[in-house]
Amino acid sequence: MMSLKSALAKPFAKRIYKKVQKWANNPIETQNKIFQELISEATSTKFGKDHDFVSINNHTDFIKRVPVRDYEALKPYVDKVVAGEENILWKGKPIYFAKTSGTTSGSKYIPITKESMPSHVEAARNAILMYIHETGNAKFVDGKMIFLQGSPILNEQNGVQLGRLSGIVAHYVPKYLQKNRLPSWDTNCIDDWETKVDAIVEETLPENMTIISGIPSWVQMYFEKLQEKTGKKIGDIFKNFNLFIFGGVNYEPYRSKFENLIGRKVDSIELYPASEGFFAFQDKQKEKGMLLQLNSGIFYEFIKADEFFEENPKRITIKDVEVGVNYVMIISTNAGLWAYNIGDTVEFTSTKPYRVIVSGRIKHFISAFGEHVIGKEVEQAIQDATTNSNISVSEFTVAPQINPKEGLPYHEWFIEFENEPENPSALAKKIDESLQKQNTYYFDLIKGSVLQPLKITTVKKGGFQDYMKSIGKLGGQNKLPRLSNDRKIADNLL
């Protein structure tokens, strides 16, 4: 028997689907409109005056006046906003600061304005509605949903609320979902991640969980604790669990591990949210990539990743991007970020409509020897090497070994296995072959005897969690870098 709630979900999903199609099918027009709106809204801000917004009519003018900046370079403006000054990056004051722990710059304060806030909420909702429209499956709306996230407790700084993005968004869960939502407020407010996950296990065990959502590595921890407690597969504990929503990292390295923990396949939806904006969500189950949000108050520019560190790299808009090229994504938003480098690299899987995958971080790559190896390549390599085997990987990271005790330098892969390989050197050989196929620079360095093939160092079970705990980054939105250009993480793991 279909409930009223799931019956109503379908026409609502159809309406949203049509709305999304409208802008997705007019991408360039949509982006031009966003660009013009952003410039005219911010002309009288301090940033707008400093950069002569009044004389910007098109993208070429914008490039001339507004250089690409990362957080460090934009910080003098952000500091003024944090100090309580108005009309600095955007009109008035922001309504929130999303506080993130930057990898390089300590804490970052990313402004969220009353104009930018709705898209953080709508995009996640629309992702679920697009799934309902495509599959006709709406039964899950009657069950309980869990979103593993940061604490919703907010502090105040000069009249602006301050907290983690996932905690801020927790205040915007629509009324009709409130009753279905877990964990409870009190549990969500627990600061220590392990204590929090234990409390979530207790709270969810007796419930009819239908949607589970979060960063894969932390959901994995939750699943393992459920399994430890009950001795059952997740799919047997939650019979109606049929939708996993995730974001923040590539799911592929976790997929086989998850299917094993759950005991069956479940549908999944990938999201691409960040404190700086909600950029994309998976709109089709069978298509690769996520639909770029072109109508969400964000204007996008792209720079080819391998040209990024040149003196004057070319900045292009969506109309000139190509499928399969690795780009650094640059954004200007209605939260007052201008030509802002969020540090992510993306690759288009389609331009009709515009769909992307996140290929890595412009800072997280290995080029200790000029090889330019990126996150997507190492994830693909480990997937290629373990497919159709019973080897299962929990977590991994890669670092250069520049001064080995003997022989040529090499890439050292730190891998925590769920199921260890019988022959680690055979696995290393397979990973290395895949990497050489994907990356010609790496291939040349191996063939030219500049590097020797990679080596695997096994990390004890729970080793990565211990490492994240030791640096105070266990849980929440924290992610382990797949690649480093130095041995900071490597030496810690050893």
Side-chain angles (χ1 to χ4, degrees), residues 245-256:
I245 302 176
F246 67 94
V249 296
N250 182 1
Y251 180 44
E252 287 314 316
Y254 297 94
R255 191 180 290 277
S256 66

Side-chain angles (χ1 to χ4, degrees), residues 290-318:
M290 297 172 279
L291 187 68
L292 192 63
Q293 297 297 288
L294 300 174
N295 197 31
S296 295
I298 303 166
F299 174 71
Y300 299 91
E301 297 175 272
F302 302 92
I303 296 173
K304 284 185 178 172
D306 52 13
E307 294 171 8
F308 185 74
F309 294 105
E310 289 173 9
E311 186 59 43
N312 218 343
K314 189 174 183 192
R315 289 158 64 177
I316 59 174
T317 60
I318 55 159

Side-chain angles (χ1 to χ4, degrees), residues 224-359:
E224 284 167 348
K225 291 200 173 203
L226 279 166
Q227 204 171 36
E228 245 165 68
K229 195 171 169 68
T230 61
K232 292 181 183 169
K233 297 269 188 199
I234 308 307
D236 294 331
I237 304 170
F238 304 133
K239 297 256 192 290
N240 299 314
F241 164 45
N242 59 13
L243 186 57
F244 173 50
I245 302 176
F246 67 94
V249 296
N250 182 1
Y251 180 44
E252 287 314 316
Y254 297 94
R255 191 180 290 277
S256 66
K257 176 80 208 283
F258 265 61
E259 285 176 2
N260 185 26
L261 281 164
I262 297 163
R264 55 183 163 84
K265 281 186 160 62
V266 297
D267 282 349
S268 61
I269 301 177
E270 183 174 5
L271 309 177
Y272 182 12
S275 302
E276 295 86 354
F278 202 124
F279 304 124
F281 63 73
Q282 184 180 347
D283 64 318
K284 286 267 190 280
Q285 285 294 298
K286 298 266 190 301
E287 297 288 339
K288 193 179 179 205
M290 297 172 279
L291 187 68
L292 192 63
Q293 297 297 288
L294 300 174
N295 197 31
S296 295
I298 303 166
F299 174 71
Y300 299 91
E301 297 175 272
F302 302 92
I303 296 173
K304 284 185 178 172
D306 52 13
E307 294 171 8
F308 185 74
F309 294 105
E310 289 173 9
E311 186 59 43
N312 218 343
K314 189 174 183 192
R315 289 158 64 177
I316 59 174
T317 60
I318 55 159
K319 77 174 193 317
D320 296 317
V321 298
E322 296 165 52
V323 169
V325 176
N326 203 29
Y327 293 105
V328 179
M329 189 164 86
I330 308 296
I331 57 165
S332 296
T333 76
N334 55 6
L337 301 173
W338 300 102
Y340 184 84
N341 170 19
I342 56 169
D344 286 347
T345 56
V346 299
E347 203 176 279
F348 284 86
T349 56
S350 143
T351 53
K352 272 185 176 165
Y354 284 90
R355 291 198 184 98
V356 294
I357 55 168
V358 181
S359 50

Side-chain angles (χ1 to χ4, degrees), residues 397-400 412 414 484 486-494:
T397 191
V398 187
E412 187 170 6
F414 292 83
S484 321
D486 56 43
R487 292 194 54 88
K488 237 190 313 212
I489 296 174
D491 294 341
N492 256 308
L493 288 167
L494 291 169

Side-chain angles (χ1 to χ4, degrees), residues 39 47-48 50-53 56 59-69 74 301 315 330 332 337-340:
I39 296 298
F47 191 93
D50 290 353
H51 295 81
D52 194 20
F53 272 23
I56 292 178
H59 183 233
T60 314
D61 295 342
F62 185 69
I63 293 173
K64 281 184 198 141
R65 290 170 179 77
V66 185
V68 171
R69 289 177 168 91
L74 196 67
E301 297 175 272
R315 289 158 64 177
I330 308 296
S332 296
L337 301 173
W338 300 102
Y340 184 84

